[in-house]
Amino acid sequence: MKYKLDLTNIYRYVIDFDGLSGIYGYSSLPWFEKGTSICKMHLENVSINMDEAVLRDQILSVNPKSIINISDDLVILAQKALLTIENVCCYDLKVMHNERDYYYSSGLKFNIKDRYTIFGGYDTEHLDSNIFGRAIFQGHVWLELEEDSIVPLMIGNDDQVGGYEGIKKINHNKELEVKMKNKSLDMSIFNHIESPIWDFDFQIKYFSSHDGYKEAILNYPPSQNN
């Protein structure tokens, strides 16, 4: 059974892009649907917090027998998922590949009330690559996954996969999968523009944190404020 979950107002709390669970999350490089501002990326091996009632309700209203019904304090491991960000105004990438940083910027530009989100993870296809992404958008954020691709990871403080050794095995097996692919990274996708979005002070100045999301409080470039 497939689920399409609306994360627009809660995305900061749902996907563990920081690896706090100990699981190494993976992401593909983002792509845009042709002729649109809809950005998509495949996620693999990613931890998802299921303790937000609005998120759980979206699944249980479709499938009351879902595996997530075992607890309301649950973190799941999604082996496969699809993340979609709608109406993207601009986005930036930093890819650490073979210990070097490569940048791409579509041109940083946003208005008050536009939203800001992060994405990324270890690269699903390129060995020794780590993707860091930032997007400014005006639409919805969706996460698509299937019941068969999710397993319980943690209930409260109790892991469900065999402790440290279980988590280590999951990470090791995923790394082996990437080694089997290990495609060459196309360097032509980078324009080597490092925008201010990577600066922490810039983020503090231009964005405010709300309960579940971040929102622009100033226009950028500053001349737009006049």
Side-chain angles (χ1 to χ4, degrees):
M1 183 171 291
K2 295 183 178 181
Y3 309 117
K4 186 174 182 179
L5 308 176
D6 189 349
L7 308 187
T8 307
N9 295 320
I10 56 173
Y11 57 78
R12 287 183 64 199
Y13 301 136
V14 176
I15 303 175
D16 178 21
F17 286 120
D18 297 320
L20 298 178
S21 68
I23 295 292
Y24 298 158
Y26 284 73
S27 173
S28 67
L29 288 164
W31 76 91
F32 283 81
E33 290 189 349
K34 187 174 181 180
T36 74
S37 59
I38 299 174
C39 180
K40 293 179 178 284
M41 64 216 71
H42 292 295
L43 304 181
E44 299 179 5
N45 220 46
V46 65
S47 305
I48 300 173
N49 298 311
M50 298 302 302
D51 56 355
E52 292 286 333
V54 64
L55 179 62
R56 293 175 58 80
D57 289 348
Q58 290 181 70
I59 291 180
L60 296 178
S61 65
V62 175
N63 180 18
K65 296 182 179 180
S66 170
I67 197 169
I68 74 158
N69 212 9
I70 60 176
S71 173
D72 59 3
D73 191 11
L74 175 68
V75 177
I76 63 171
L77 175 67
Q79 297 162 324
K80 304 281 185 180
L82 178 68
L83 182 68
T84 300
I85 307 170
E86 295 180 340
N87 201 7
V88 173
C89 308
C90 58
Y91 76 104
D92 286 82
L93 287 177
K94 178 173 76 170
V95 176
M96 297 177 63
H97 181 67
N98 292 330
E99 300 183 354
R100 289 188 58 187
D101 292 345
Y102 298 87
Y103 290 90
Y104 173 84
S105 179
S106 66
L108 189 60
K109 182 177 180 180
F110 54 83
N111 297 314
I112 294 173
K113 296 293 185 181
D114 289 351
R115 293 191 179 184
Y116 161 90
T117 189
I118 69 172
F119 56 87
Y122 288 92
D123 196 318
T124 57
E125 295 188 326
H126 308 101
L127 196 62
D128 297 323
S129 287
N130 206 330
I131 298 167
F132 301 87
R134 306 289 185 263
I136 314 279
F137 66 100
Q138 298 172 343
H140 284 260
V141 178
W142 301 97
L143 182 69
E144 297 176 59
L145 66 163
E146 297 188 24
E147 180 75 18
D148 291 345
S149 74
I150 61 178
V151 296
L153 181 62
M154 297 187 71
I155 297 177
N157 294 320
D158 300 322
D159 84 89
Q160 307 295 303
V161 292
Y164 172 76
E165 290 300 323
I167 290 175
K168 184 178 178 181
K169 182 177 180 181
I170 291 171
N171 290 334
H172 178 68
N173 289 342
K174 195 63 187 178
E175 184 179 6
L176 290 179
E177 286 184 27
V178 178
K179 283 183 177 179
M180 293 292 291
K181 301 177 187 176
N182 196 21
K183 297 181 179 179
S184 296
L185 183 61
D186 180 7
M187 296 302 176
S188 68
I189 65 175
F190 303 104
N191 60 13
H192 310 294
I193 298 174
E194 181 180 353
S195 86
I197 197 68
W198 302 105
D199 184 80
F200 180 75
D201 290 335
F202 179 89
Q203 295 179 34
I204 294 297
K205 178 179 179 180
Y206 282 93
F207 296 93
S208 64
S209 295
H210 294 258
D211 188 20
Y213 62 91
K214 284 189 174 184
E215 189 174 84
I217 55 176
L218 294 171
N219 297 329
Y220 187 84
S223 59
Q224 292 179 251
N225 295 313
N226 298 329

